[in-house]
Amino acid sequence: MRIAQVSGHYPPNFVSGGTLVPQRVALAAHRAGHESYVYAGYLDENRRPLETWDEDVEGVHVTWLVTTPWTAWDDERNWDNPEATAAFRTWLDRVRPQVVHFHSIQTLGVGLVEAAHNAGARVVLTMHDFWWFCSHQFLVNEDMRPTSLVADLGACDCETGGPALRERSARMRRALDAVDVVLAPSASAARVYAANGVDASILRVDENGLPDEQLATLTRTAALRPREAAGPLRLMYAGGAQAMKGFDVLVDACRRLEDVSELVLDAYGTHDAHVRSLPAWVRLEPAFAPEELPTVLAKHDFLVLPSVMRESHSILTREALAAGLGVVCTDTLGPEEAVEDGFNGLIIPAGNPEALANALRELASDPSNARSMTGRGSSSPIRTFSDQAAGILKLYEDLVDGPSAPSAQADSQAAVRDAQRSLLHRILFIVGISGAPLRYRVHLPAEALRIRGYNTDVRHYRDPELTEIAGKADAVVLYRVPATNQILELINSIKDSDRTVPILFDVDDLIFDPSLRGTLDNLDGLSDAEADLWWHGVERYRTTLENSDAYIGSTQVLCDRANELTGLPAYRFANGVGRILARASDAAVASPRTPGPPRIGYFSGTTTHDADWASIESTVTAVMERHQDVVLVLGGHIQPTTALQRFGDRVQRLPFLDWQELPRALRDTDICLAPLTGDSVFNESKSAIKWLEAALVETPTIASPTQPFREAIDDGRTGYLAKTPQEWERALETLLESPRVRARVGAHARREALLNYSPYLQAVVYENILIDVALAVREHGHRAHSGWKDVADDEPFSSVDARVDAYVAVPVPDAPPVSRTHRMLLKTQDLFQREGAVAVVKRAVRVIRRTVAKR
């Protein structure tokens, strides 16, 4: 085969973990007997931009293209470079590779991917980082703060401005349509890519491997490591003076530990850094050559990896563990797959000097326990490069093989799905309620479907324009719409039309089962007349459901009950994460919690949760008696009881908050409570929104173990499940006693919320539901009337009563934004620490030249 690797940088011109992989793959392809080519960017200020030449390096044909002017992340040609694309097309015409494997292509631009596809080559893309979604490449902003794992859900205020970034995002996503297979260096990275919109059907994990000889050498190093040692713990850092690698965080943490005789830290690649007032136990050392790595590792007990940037894999972490070191790392994805907290190292929040200082203090305070974490190797198997190379070459062969190739199958499946999608273009949501339920069940799926190219419309069930709009819709979703004479007439007109338009009913509470009357604790406060009206509404909801073709529910319990009662096909669509709430939550996370005592919070969105609170009140008050500084925050409709009066101002009330203000309140809460009473099917059917909203701001939740909460919460990792008073008390005590546990559980919860329920993932789920129902109705017709006795009221259409809550972002007061000038100062400081004054001057000259050229 003729196989090409394409990389924005390549050794020996530029050496990094991301450039070594294409080099190793290119050499492996040559040694396996294939024609191996490389097309790479070249950095040299003394060469003319776009200058190109060829070289043969160890049997690999390398073509260089000078891309020096376009390294800046905010330069449009960093990601879309028409001149580089034109040069690449010429090269494609000459070489005609059968497979083109793209790696990090900054400065070359995504046009090369489309050019390779159009030339008939099979296209493989390894995403070594997050550049395809984050202009900063590593999901970290200009202030060196980790940003949202789903780039589109973050509040990062990049200096290029919103419209430019949206244009970049759209351009990158179009280019991904030309890719046959996307490879991720770790399972963690693959989850992030999928949550950011990479098609799961073409996404595969291809973990980076260590060269076989190197891994064998490191393993021998580990075997020779002494098990009993005395003297200070020997720590090493090897990220240079780069802020993204956490050097500034490391310096700050070390300064908090002035007098530590039990530690020695060698910081490699930092000897020229202009750092003052470092403790004597920290030594700034020059960088070491790659071949010196085994010797350097053998001299140390722990690797300190304080990265702020998200790491898609981290080869150094695995090299250190293979050599028998323990690792102190941040929660930045790739390293966490190899490090288990407390087993072979410690995991701390990224960008947190205090947390790093505490971890180093923990090592120093108990050297014996620290040394017990060394010599244990990686928590996940370390792959050899020979295994990785064999897998990649097999992938190339499968792609070129023709009809049986995975890409051909994917193309066929995509064609079928496109034909199915052609059944649907305009989706009409008809709604019968406002507030949070409307947002989660309608606005969020409508937003997600728009990502997939659908036209969505949201209207109230009394809107006079409904008949006209429904006549143009390809699918109609009735969300919590009570049966009216007018709605039933609309449904019948849809069913009688010549067009096949599926009708779906969605509700996120068990309010369509009249047989539950007399079993619901939360309705005990209603008068007889109020109760009669409530259950009349249940019968009306059931009527709308019975006249539909399918049911959509937020929990499996709801879906099972709907199917059992009506025989309708039922589909699960969990409540997910919308852009507006996610961005408000991201802004809240960017700010520290308000100082003060620990706060336990219970937030009630409706007036029917008094019984839920009563089920845990005595446990909470007992905990407050023992912890005299703890504050209880009651938010929303719940009212303080007489049992709470003795705590005085330690019980605080918050009014019902606008949903865009809620993230800040939840962020200032240290523990969120989500109790549900008893084992009633009604409560069992409620979704885990309380966990989801708290998770988005890194606040841990203790919840009753209903099915939705059991599904959302990994007990002890992303929250706590508690059924008995003893379990509630144990979970509260665990979280109150350890800020480190609260931070860890909160961070894990946020990650799972974003990676499981992003709009990109939710859109695919909802699309598949619509397609399945549309195909069923097309083949079998609409559902025949079940025999249920319809219960409907007369509610004429009325524009006055047809208001739908707007789904728009409202500015929420927050910390003042960091100015462009301040960002430039931070960047200049980082460059000065890494490369000195000369580099700063050169950078300034390049910026001036680029500015003049744009004018």
Side-chain angles (χ1 to χ4, degrees), residues 254 256-264 279-281 360-361 364:
C254 291
R256 298 170 189 238
L257 303 172
E258 285 291 340
D259 301 320
V260 178
S261 59
E262 298 85 359
L263 302 178
V264 173
W281 56 276
L360 297 180
R361 187 181 292 111

Side-chain angles (χ1 to χ4, degrees), residues 395-543:
L395 171 63
Y396 296 163
E397 293 171 4
D398 290 343
L399 288 172
V400 173
D401 272 349
S404 63
S407 59
Q409 294 175 7
D411 287 345
S412 175
Q413 293 169 359
V416 171
R417 213 59 183 165
D418 285 343
Q420 293 171 342
R421 288 184 65 190
S422 68
L423 299 173
L424 307 163
H425 179 65
R426 300 179 63 91
I427 314 300
L428 171 61
F429 290 89
I430 303 176
V431 305
I433 194 173
S434 59
L438 164 66
R439 187 171 71 254
Y440 278 102
R441 302 308 298 170
V442 175
H443 284 310
L444 266 58
E447 174 185 71
L449 287 170
R450 285 194 292 272
I451 294 174
R452 302 283 291 178
Y454 291 91
N455 183 311
T456 61
D457 201 352
V458 178
R459 295 300 181 106
H460 193 271
Y461 75 100
R462 298 188 65 187
D463 193 318
E465 298 180 349
L466 270 188
T467 302
E468 179 183 352
I469 298 171
K472 300 176 182 177
D474 300 310
V476 174
V477 180
L478 297 155
Y479 170 66
R480 208 166 179 138
V481 173
T484 68
N485 297 334
Q486 292 74 20
I487 286 295
L488 293 180
E489 183 179 343
L490 177 68
I491 290 174
N492 289 330
S493 69
I494 293 172
K495 291 181 176 180
D496 291 340
S497 71
D498 295 334
R499 300 172 61 243
T500 304
V501 179
I503 303 167
L504 303 93
F505 181 81
D506 183 313
V507 71
D508 51 344
D509 270 324
L510 187 50
I511 55 172
F512 50 80
D513 185 1
S515 69
L516 293 177
R517 185 160 190 168
T519 67
L520 306 184
D521 296 338
N522 292 335
L523 301 182
D524 290 344
L526 299 181
S527 67
D528 290 344
E530 290 171 331
D532 288 341
L533 183 62
W534 198 89
W535 287 103
H536 178 68
V538 169
E539 293 177 326
R540 293 176 66 192
Y541 288 131
R542 175 66 171 274
T543 297

Side-chain angles (χ1 to χ4, degrees), residues 374-394:
T374 65
R376 290 181 166 177
S378 173
S379 296
S380 58
I382 298 177
R383 193 182 191 189
T384 62
F385 178 72
S386 61
D387 180 64
Q388 182 184 10
I392 290 176
L393 292 176
K394 178 65 166 57

